[in-house]
Amino acid sequence: MGEEHPRKRSRQHFESEARHVSLLESPQCETSKWYFSREEIERFSPSRKDGIDLVKESFLRSSYCTFLQRLGMKLHVSQVTIACAMVMCHRFYMRQSHAKNDWQTIATASLFLACKAEDEPCQLSSVVVASYEIIYEWDPSASIRIHQTECYHEFKEIILAGESLLLSTSAFHLDIELPYRPLAAALNRLNAWPDLATAAWNFVHDWIRTTLCLQYKPHVIATATVHLAATFQNAKVGSRRDWWLEFGVTTKLLKEVIQEMCTLIEVDRRRNMPPPPPPPRRELTWSIPAAVKPVHMARAYPFHSYPLQSYSQAGIW
């Protein structure tokens, strides 16, 4: 937070890393290897090897997703493009370490690259200025400084070097599939009612910010999301009890994915629970407390409020 300018070594670092990656054999960068087990993500990521624990890395993932959401909204790009950039970052940090690559630079480069991949052109100058203003929003002079030639060109070159490293790390694989399209297809095919569709869309927005997109393919996430939303809302979908089989998802896989989703919701709920009130001091007179309103979990990000106990009801399968 106390920096006045971007780190001057960043450009050289990203360029050298990009050259290094381009010289490596890349069987691990095959499309089929963009999906990982939970153990690979939690125990064997590059960041873990550099001493960054799971809690810290989860915080960093949340940080660049929040940053990308703000940057995308500032640039008026679509939610699909923002989601594409988030997935690019998730994939990048399964190949590169947080300890060696500044997430703000990588996130900015990811959004610029996602705009190209989603055919939603956005001028580099706009991306550079908007990103700099968000990164240095604590500094009132940042919006003036980034329009100065030297500062602008320095920051622009850092972003371009980050883009080069992103491309090398991903083996130029930019065809990212998101759960939105299979979700829309499933909702239409199942003739889902509006409230259920809204809940499902909100859930998918949330899952993109997690590592679920590194574990499961888009159609699996979409199908499980419809089932989860329908369960929470006591809604019936499909003409058959095991309707998810129509979308190429087995019952075993569906249960596994939904369990992961429920775990994410529960972890987030516990993280955001208000701290317990301090014990009353003995010398104070006890008074009858006013009625306390229940805490409502719902908020914009990352998860929406649903009672997890409703999912354990008998007969939902």
Side-chain angles (χ1 to χ4, degrees):
M1 290 293 289
E3 295 177 80
E4 293 184 358
H5 299 283
R7 287 184 285 273
K8 293 186 180 297
R9 72 172 185 84
S10 296
R11 176 187 173 185
Q12 289 77 13
H13 165 74
F14 288 122
E15 289 176 341
S16 63
E17 283 293 310
R19 287 194 296 269
H20 175 68
V21 171
S22 66
L23 293 175
L24 296 176
E25 295 182 3
S26 55
Q28 63 177 2
C29 291
E30 295 176 357
T31 305
S32 60
K33 195 47 189 168
W34 284 123
Y35 295 98
F36 308 87
S37 68
R38 184 173 178 177
E39 184 180 27
E40 286 178 300
I41 295 171
E42 294 185 352
R43 297 183 58 188
F44 301 110
S45 74
S47 297
R48 207 73 69 252
K49 297 173 183 177
D50 284 336
I52 296 178
D53 61 24
L54 178 61
V55 174
K56 177 65 173 178
E57 185 170 35
S58 298
F59 171 76
L60 292 171
R61 289 187 183 278
S62 175
S63 296
Y64 64 63
C65 286
T66 300
F67 175 84
L68 280 167
Q69 190 68 41
R70 292 185 61 192
L71 181 59
M73 293 176 67
K74 191 178 180 72
L75 293 168
H76 305 290
V77 301
S78 68
Q79 187 62 42
V80 170
T81 297
I82 295 172
C84 181
M86 290 180 183
V87 175
M88 283 184 182
C89 278
H90 290 326
R91 289 182 173 184
F92 177 85
Y93 284 111
M94 283 304 295
R95 299 294 183 216
Q96 302 281 354
S97 172
H98 275 285
K100 300 173 182 175
N101 299 279
D102 173 53
W103 63 262
Q104 291 169 324
T105 301
I106 295 301
T108 303
S110 293
L111 188 66
F112 181 54
L113 204 53
C115 287
K116 298 178 183 178
E118 293 298 323
D119 197 21
E120 189 175 1
C122 188
Q123 291 186 345
L124 176 60
S125 58
S126 299
V127 176
V128 169
V129 171
S131 174
Y132 193 93
E133 288 177 345
I134 293 176
I135 293 173
Y136 297 99
E137 61 184 349
W138 52 270
D139 185 352
S141 65
S143 58
I144 298 175
R145 186 169 61 244
I146 189 57
H147 289 285
Q148 296 173 353
T149 303
E150 182 180 355
C151 180
Y152 170 81
H153 282 290
E154 181 181 9
F155 192 62
K156 182 187 74 172
E157 292 303 316
I158 292 173
I159 301 305
L160 290 176
E163 180 190 29
S164 178
L165 179 57
L166 265 167
L167 288 168
S168 299
T169 300
S170 65
F172 293 85
H173 178 70
L174 302 180
D175 186 18
I176 293 177
E177 296 181 25
L178 298 169
Y180 296 117
R181 185 172 294 177
L183 177 63
L187 292 172
N188 289 332
R189 185 171 176 179
L190 296 169
N191 196 24
W193 43 287
D195 288 349
L196 189 151
T198 299
W201 278 104
N202 287 335
F203 268 133
V204 166
H205 290 324
D206 296 336
W207 306 141
I208 295 293
R209 299 166 67 93
T210 73
T211 57
L212 276 181
C213 58
L214 295 176
Q215 295 176 255
Y216 304 103
K217 294 184 177 180
H219 75 281
V220 177
I221 293 175
T223 304
T225 298
V226 173
H227 192 288
L228 190 64
T231 302
F232 284 148
Q233 297 198 4
N234 294 317
K236 183 179 183 301
V237 294
S239 59
R240 49 183 286 186
R241 185 176 177 84
D242 53 357
W243 57 265
W244 48 87
L245 297 178
E246 301 175 20
F247 299 95
V249 179
T250 65
T251 301
K252 179 180 179 181
L253 179 57
L254 183 71
K255 289 183 177 181
E256 176 186 324
V257 179
I258 289 179
Q259 184 59 50
E260 292 271 6
M261 292 175 173
C262 288
T263 300
L264 288 170
I265 296 174
E266 178 62 16
V267 168
D268 184 76
R269 185 187 69 82
R270 292 179 180 178
R271 184 188 300 121
N272 291 282
M273 286 181 63
R281 297 176 61 182
R282 291 188 177 182
E283 62 268 27
L284 296 179
T285 303
W286 283 71
S287 59
I288 300 176
V292 179
K293 295 182 179 180
V295 176
H296 186 50
M297 285 169 48
R299 62 195 191 287
Y301 286 102
F303 295 108
H304 298 269
S305 175
Y306 288 101
L308 288 182
Q309 62 270 23
S310 67
Y311 189 76
S312 61
Q313 295 174 353
I316 61 172
W317 295 103

